[in-house]
Amino acid sequence: MATQLEQDYDIEPIKESDNVSVTDEDLEKRSKGELIKFAGQLRDRRNELNQKASRRASLRDDLNAKTREKVDEAQEHREKRDELNDQVQEHKKQRNDLNAKANELFDKLDNKKRELELDKGKSLDELEEEIERLEFKQQTEVLSAEDERELIERINGKREEYQQRKEKLEESEELDDLKSEAERVRDEASEHHEKVTELADEAQHHHNQMIEAYRAADEIRDEADEMHELFVEAQELADRHHEDFVRVQKRLRELDKKEEKERRTEREAEREAAKEEAEEIYQKFKEGETLETEDLMKLQKAGLL
């Protein structure tokens, strides 16, 4: 049954029944005609297997090339990821440095506020609301002379406190500048933080692409390894058939030599018999016997006439 790889690449499995094998007994006992037939079958099967091996080797090489492409792709994503991560680290450093600077500025701002005692007491809005409340009470409630005097003193005191606090705030323009600088630095730090997030997301994308490319490379490499095994299977069978083909050819040459030797021996025996016959005829000729035409031809062939 064909494997998944053989199905995917339309590779016909090697049928054991199509293979040809020759035993030592075949070489010794088979006739020359049978061995010639064996040689033809072995040659044809060898050539067929070599073609299968060649196609499988080509597919294997293609898969190895695709593996290298995927590895190169993964390496490109790795380099891009590392480049982006370096940028992330640079923006992180700038963000952290700016945040540290902003914190220093805000601490300085808080210290200045404490020096001006701006953090103590009520805000101008609170003082203004309190003054309005006391004035409304003065206008709407019936008070004794003593209570009204105390209320007026409280209102005046609040107004004086309001004026003093307002003057301090007006004197604190430097604080506004300091606050603006601190906020500007913090905003710049936020921009670097956004860049960190953006670049980190992009780096993660390339990291994921790198992992995917390496995974694909592993899968293709596994296919290439499996294809190599199929190539080895076909090539080893082709080599085995070639070795058997060579064995049969060697045996055929041995049989040819044996036949030639037998023919040579037979020719020599025929020549020896012809020579002996010619000598006997020549002896008769010397003794004066009449020779027939055939006998004369045998003498002439033997070089005795």
Side-chain angles (χ1 to χ4, degrees):
M1 183 177 179
T3 65
Q4 186 60 50
L5 186 70
E6 289 172 330
Q7 293 177 12
D8 292 342
Y9 289 92
D10 192 25
I11 297 173
E12 183 182 356
I14 294 175
K15 296 179 182 178
E16 182 64 29
S17 59
D18 290 340
N19 294 330
V20 183
S21 60
V22 176
T23 65
D24 290 341
E25 185 178 0
D26 289 329
L27 293 175
E28 290 297 326
K29 295 185 177 181
R30 294 282 184 173
S31 67
K32 184 177 179 181
E34 289 175 321
L35 290 176
I36 291 173
K37 182 179 179 181
F38 263 130
Q41 292 173 339
L42 287 166
R43 181 193 62 237
D44 293 343
R45 184 58 174 165
R46 177 202 63 191
N47 294 344
E48 180 184 353
L49 289 167
N50 275 330
Q51 288 178 353
K52 290 180 181 293
S54 177
R55 180 167 184 266
R56 296 175 185 202
S58 178
L59 289 170
R60 176 204 60 196
D61 294 343
D62 289 344
L63 288 168
N64 280 329
K66 290 179 180 179
T67 299
R68 287 191 293 273
E69 288 177 2
K70 282 297 179 182
V71 170
D72 290 343
E73 179 184 333
Q75 187 60 32
E76 289 176 3
H77 285 297
R78 177 193 290 275
E79 292 173 358
K80 187 61 178 178
R81 179 204 63 183
D82 292 345
E83 178 186 339
L84 289 166
N85 280 334
D86 289 341
Q87 294 180 37
V88 167
Q89 294 305 314
E90 180 61 29
H91 282 286
K92 275 186 177 181
K93 181 179 182 304
Q94 294 185 53
R95 178 199 63 188
N96 294 341
D97 290 346
L98 288 167
N99 275 330
K101 182 178 179 181
N103 289 336
E104 289 177 4
L105 291 172
F106 279 115
D107 289 341
K108 186 176 180 181
L109 179 63
D110 290 339
N111 290 334
K112 287 286 186 180
K113 285 182 177 180
R114 281 193 293 272
E115 289 175 7
L116 294 173
E117 297 182 341
L118 295 177
D119 289 336
K120 293 181 179 180
K122 299 178 180 179
S123 67
L124 290 178
D125 290 340
E126 290 173 329
L127 289 172
E128 191 172 1
E129 287 178 2
E130 192 168 345
I131 291 170
E132 289 176 354
R133 181 175 57 79
L134 291 173
E135 287 178 342
F136 181 78
K137 181 177 181 180
Q138 181 189 17
Q139 294 170 4
T140 59
E141 294 184 11
V142 178
L143 302 171
S144 65
E146 182 66 24
D147 289 340
E148 187 169 0
R149 187 176 61 253
E150 289 179 0
L151 183 58
I152 291 171
E153 288 178 357
R154 286 181 64 190
I155 291 172
N156 291 334
K158 292 296 178 181
R159 285 176 176 168
E160 184 178 352
E161 183 181 352
Y162 179 88
Q163 188 62 33
Q164 289 175 352
R165 191 163 187 78
K166 184 177 180 182
E167 290 174 358
K168 282 186 177 181
L169 289 172
E170 289 174 350
E171 293 173 359
S172 66
E173 291 182 1
E174 179 186 349
L175 297 184
D176 293 336
D177 293 339
L178 191 58
K179 181 180 179 182
S180 296
E181 176 64 10
E183 290 175 343
R184 185 194 66 77
V185 173
R186 180 149 291 175
D187 288 343
E188 188 177 348
S190 295
E191 290 176 3
H192 283 286
H193 178 71
E194 291 175 1
K195 199 65 178 175
V196 165
T197 302
E198 175 188 341
L199 292 170
D201 288 343
E202 191 176 350
Q204 185 62 44
H205 169 73
H206 283 285
H207 176 76
N208 294 340
Q209 292 295 100
M210 178 196 73
I211 295 300
E212 177 61 24
Y214 275 131
R215 184 196 62 75
D218 288 340
E219 289 181 355
I220 298 172
R221 185 182 294 109
D222 289 342
E223 287 190 344
D225 291 343
E226 188 177 346
M227 189 66 73
H228 178 68
E229 292 176 2
L230 293 176
F231 157 73
V232 170
E233 175 193 17
Q235 191 62 60
E236 288 181 347
L237 279 172
D239 291 344
R240 195 198 79 189
H241 281 74
H242 177 69
E243 290 169 1
D244 283 348
F245 173 75
V246 170
R247 289 171 62 212
V248 173
Q249 289 291 88
K250 180 180 179 183
R251 178 57 179 160
L252 286 171
R253 285 194 296 273
E254 290 174 353
L255 290 175
D256 286 342
K257 289 180 179 179
K258 182 179 178 182
E259 290 178 356
E260 177 61 28
K261 184 177 180 181
E262 289 175 350
R263 285 194 295 270
R264 187 168 57 249
T265 301
E266 185 178 346
R267 287 195 299 271
E268 289 176 356
E270 289 176 353
R271 283 196 298 271
E272 187 63 30
K275 181 180 179 182
E276 291 178 359
E277 184 181 6
E279 288 177 349
E280 290 177 1
I281 295 171
Y282 186 66
Q283 186 63 36
K284 291 178 182 180
F285 175 71
K286 288 195 300 181
E287 292 175 356
E289 293 186 16
T290 302
L291 301 181
E292 296 179 0
T293 302
E294 184 179 352
D295 292 334
L296 293 172
M297 290 179 66
K298 288 181 181 178
L299 289 175
Q300 187 176 14
K301 185 176 181 181
L304 297 176
L305 188 62

